Every structure is written in C-alpha cells, then in structure tokens.
C-alpha cells in the first residue's frame, strides 16, 4: 500500500517495521478528537479562502460521514496507515476522493496530534473533576452520620488518641479537595491550541489560528510554534496530578483493607466491592481496594515513563513523542474508574461503630488526657508526661488500664488528681474536648462538615 507520505520513497515498506512505527493500536482512542480538529481546520481553510468554500464544504461533509461511521463502529483501522491521522485521512479520501488531499493544507501531523491530545485531556480532566467532586460529596455525607463515632487515631499504626470517625473521613476530603484544585488549575494549560503551529515553524498560508482555536473551544493559542508542537507538559501535569491523587487513594485503600481484616473488624465492604477465594469458602477479600492500591503503580510508572521520554529531547517534534499516549490513556481509564469505585465503596460500607469505639477503651490512647489533666492543674507538661509514662509502664505490667486505676492510687501519685479524672479519661470526652481549630472535637468536625457542604454546593 502506498503511504500518504510515500513520494520520496523508492523502497517498499516492511510490515514488521510498519508495526513498530505504528501508533494506531492505541491512538485510535483519539479518533473523535482527530475528526473534531479536522472539522475546525477545514472550516478555517474555507473561512480564510485558503481553499474554496465548496471544497471546504465537501471535506466537511466527508468528515461528518467518517464521524458517523466511527460512532457506528464501522471503521476498520489499519497498521499500514500508521496512526489515527493517516487512517482518518484515508477514510476521508474513500468518502470524497482527491479533494480530501486539501485538508492537510497549512498543518502537519505534529500540530494535529498535539491538538488531539489537548482536546482529549480537556474532557478527561473535566470528567476527573466531576468524579472527585462526587467522591468528596460521598465523604461528607458519610462524615455527617459519624461525627460522634469514636475510633482510635493512629500514629506509627499504634493507638495514639481517640478521634471522631468523621474527622478521619474529612482528612480525605481535604486531600481530595486539593487534588480537585490541582486538576482545575491544570485546565488552563491544557486549554491551549497548538493547531496551526504546523510541522514546527508555522506556515506560509494565511491561516487564522485564533479562528480554529475558537471553533475547538480553546481559550488561547500557543505563542511559539516550536513550543506548541513539542510541549507535553500538560500531559506530565495530568500524570503528576493523577499520581498524587492515586497516592491519596492508596492510603485510604490501605486503611480500608486493614479495617475489614479480622483483627480490626471496623468496617464491612459490600459484596459488590469484594471477591471470594476459589479454595477458602469463608473468604471475602477487599480486591477493589487492593487493586486501586496496586494500580497506583502503573500511574506513577506512566509519569516516570513520560518524564524519561522527554528528558533531553531536542526541539521540536521527535518520534519519541509518540510514546506519550499509552500512559496518558491508561492513566485516564485508571483514575476515572478508581474514583467511581472509591465513591461506591465508601458510600456502601458498613461501619461497626461499637467495635471501633470499644477498641479505644482497652488501650492507652487516653494517656495524653491524663498528662493534659495534670498540666491544666499546674504541673509542668514535661513532668506530667513522665508521671503518666511511669504509670502506663506499671499498668502494662499489671495488665490493666488507666481508667481502672483506683482513685486512692492516683492520689498517692499526686493529690492533683480528683475523681473527675475518670470522665477525663473516657475516650468520648477526649474527642469532645479537642476544640482547637481543625481538631477532632465534635463541634470542630461539625463546622468542617458544614463548611465542606457549602463548598461543594458552590462548585
Ligand atoms: N503518530 C504520531 C505521534 O503520535 C503523529 C505525529 C507524527 N509526526 C511525524 N512527523 N512523524 O506522535
């Protein structure tokens, strides 16, 4: 088959080489964007008089016919046509004949492919923002129901201080809010048109780049044609923002996996998000949470893959850049589905409130309460810390807990301790009293939830 660029070639192409060079197996994901870009370009060519109005009309109709065939899944892509651009141009040729050859006036595949990817990512990032918003909404709804659900707060995965379960959920709300902001801010660097940068240097034809940019809904155009065709920062930024977000999701998933283990039993995931074992009949595994944790690996890998491709690349277009697509598309699919799964899992999980709260009763997560109690009564905090530390050691030797130490014993340590100590040591009190801004006290958590509700409503 003759290549669309075959004029200066004498030798025949070899299929295994064609295969190595082709991107159609993956860039067919950009077919709709490619047609959209061509429709804008041909409209501009007609508008500026670079081609006749009737030719522009014919090409437009041809592209619309190809668009319809794409929607009806009637197109068969071929490796001989290398990539999505040459495949679509070939289909156009089949529709309208040689006039199809005028479409490529004043443009190159270099600005064409960049345009396709800007269009693609603009949609994907908008979808990502919507899905993060939905997930944040789910978090807030769940948090509303669990302001007074007490759980152990951890540091070093050791019981640290009791907290409100809602407070824990709202920590993820904070992370996801920043993720959403990052994606939103990145939009302005995606929303730029490279169309008309041509191969690298612009074109001699009197094109109107602003016209085609407007047609495509872009807010601005690249100001430098070399930059326009070789910039992949917007993809890096997408991969980087996706990596940070996935990292957040993995932290949450790790906790979900722990929480539904036999040792914790804090939550139960619904059957939808769990799977069984082929040998152990009792198993209900949190596979979806594990997979999100696992799939973060490919998202991080895609970021590093593209950084490595771009490192040291001279300007402007190099075929290396064709390696920008698979990671981008794979990441898009991974993050969108991961967000749906997260929202579903959190929305439907069952919380074992009693077990959660009970696990704060047979532990030393109230040790800070005792130290604070003494400090509030005038004992220097460092000294209080020492006193309580010794008592904890003594309790561990006697297999007992601070709330079980008799008042006489407390008073023999220091008369500062009175019988209200037992209220102070209760985990509910410990949570309730943490009124400091952003703390886990019920009032603070309620305020945070209200603020988040208003924030979500305003988005
Ligand atoms: N398939 C190519 C890519 O994805 C399109 C651009 C080809 N440009 C070129 N000069 N060979 O990068």
């Amino acid at each position: 088959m003759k290549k669309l660029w075959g004029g200066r070639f004498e030798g025949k192409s070899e299929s295994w080489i064609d295969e190595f060079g082709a991107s159609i197996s993956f860039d067919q994901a950009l077919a709709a964007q490619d047609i959209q870009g061509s429709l804008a370009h041909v409209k501009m060519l007609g508008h500026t008089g670079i081609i006749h109005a009737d030719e522009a009309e014919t090409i437009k109709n041809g592209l619309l016919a190809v668009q319809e065939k794409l929607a009806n899944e009637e197109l068969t892509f071929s490796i001989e046509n290398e990539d999505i651009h040459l495949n679509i141009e070939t289909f156009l040729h089949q529709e309208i004949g040689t006039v199809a050859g005028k479409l490529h006036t004043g443009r190159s595949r270099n600005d064409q492919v960049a345009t396709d990817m800007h269009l693609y990512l603009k949609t994907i990032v908008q979808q990502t923002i919507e899905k993060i918003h939905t997930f944040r909404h789910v978090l807030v709804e769940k948090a509303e129901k669990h302001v007074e659900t007490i759980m152990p707060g951890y540091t070093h995965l050791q019981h640290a201080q009791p907290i409100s379960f809602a407070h824990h959920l709202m920590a993820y709300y904070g992370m996801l809010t920043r993720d959403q902001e990052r994606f939103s801010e990145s939009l302005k660097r995606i929303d730029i048109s490279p169309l008309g940068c041509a191969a690298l240097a612009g074109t001699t034809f009197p094109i109107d780049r602003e016209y085609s940019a407007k047609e495509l809904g872009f807010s601005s155009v690249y100001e430098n044609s070399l930059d326009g065709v070789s910039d992949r920062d917007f993809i890096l930024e997408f991969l980087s923002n996706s990596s940070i977000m996935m990292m957040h999701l993995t932290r949450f998933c790790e906790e979900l996996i722990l929480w539904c283990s036999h040792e914790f039993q804090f939550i139960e995931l619904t059957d939808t998000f769990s799977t069984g074992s082929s040998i152990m009949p009792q198993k209900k595994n949190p596979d979806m949470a594990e997979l999100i944790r696992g799939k973060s690996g490919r998202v991080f890998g895609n970021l590093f893959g593209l950084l490595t491709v771009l490192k040291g690349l001279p300007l402007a277009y190099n075929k290396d850049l064709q390696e920008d697509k698979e990671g981008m598309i794979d990441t898009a699919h991974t993050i969108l589905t991961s967000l749906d799964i997260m929202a579903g899992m959190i929305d439907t999980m069952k919380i074992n409130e009693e077990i959660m709260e009970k696990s704060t009763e047979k532990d030393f997560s109230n040790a800070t309460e005792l130290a604070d109690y003494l400090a509030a009564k005038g004992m220097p905090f460092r000294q209080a810390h020492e006193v309580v530390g010794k008592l904890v050691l003594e309790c561990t030797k006697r297999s007992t807990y601070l709330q079980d130490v008799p008042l006489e014993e407390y008073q023999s340590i220091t008369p500062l301790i009175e019988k209200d100590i037992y209220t102070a040591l209760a985990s509910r009190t410990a949570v309730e009293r943490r009124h400091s801004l952003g703390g886990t006290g019920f009032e603070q958590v309620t305020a945070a939830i209200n603020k988040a509700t208003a924030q979500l409503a305003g988005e």
Side-chain angles (χ1 to χ4, degrees), residues 135 139 142-143 146 149-155 157-159 163-172 175 248-269 274 284-286 289-290 293 342 345-347 349-353 355-357 359-360:
F135 180 36
L139 284 169
K142 204 73 177 175
H146 292 284
T149 302
I150 311 294
M151 70 176 283
Y154 297 83
T155 61
L157 206 54
Q158 306 280 325
H159 282 204
I163 55 171
S164 145
F165 180 56
H167 194 51
H168 197 104
L169 292 173
M170 291 304 287
Y172 284 102
M175 293 174 232
H248 290 148
L249 300 189
T250 68
R251 296 183 78 170
F252 205 172
C253 284
E254 173 68 16
E255 294 188 326
L256 296 177
I257 294 162
L258 284 172
W259 291 347
C260 61
S261 68
H262 186 72
E263 285 70 18
F264 280 78
Q265 298 183 42
F266 284 1
I267 62 160
E268 275 163 55
L269 296 175
S274 313
K284 187 173 166 190
N285 297 325
E290 291 169 70
R293 189 178 58 182
M342 286 306 297
M345 273 194 308
I346 301 306
D347 189 31
M349 71 182 177
K350 182 174 169 284
I351 317 296
N352 296 329
E353 302 169 21
I355 296 183
M356 263 189 186
E357 180 155 0
S359 76
T360 66

Side-chain angles (χ1 to χ4, degrees), residues 23 27 82-83 85 109-110 113 317 319 321-322 325:
S23 51
D27 67 9
E82 197 178 323
D83 59 21
H85 325 294
R109 276 188 294 160
N110 297 351
V113 68
Y317 179 84
K319 186 76 166 179
L321 290 177
Q322 184 165 285
K325 283 168 210 61

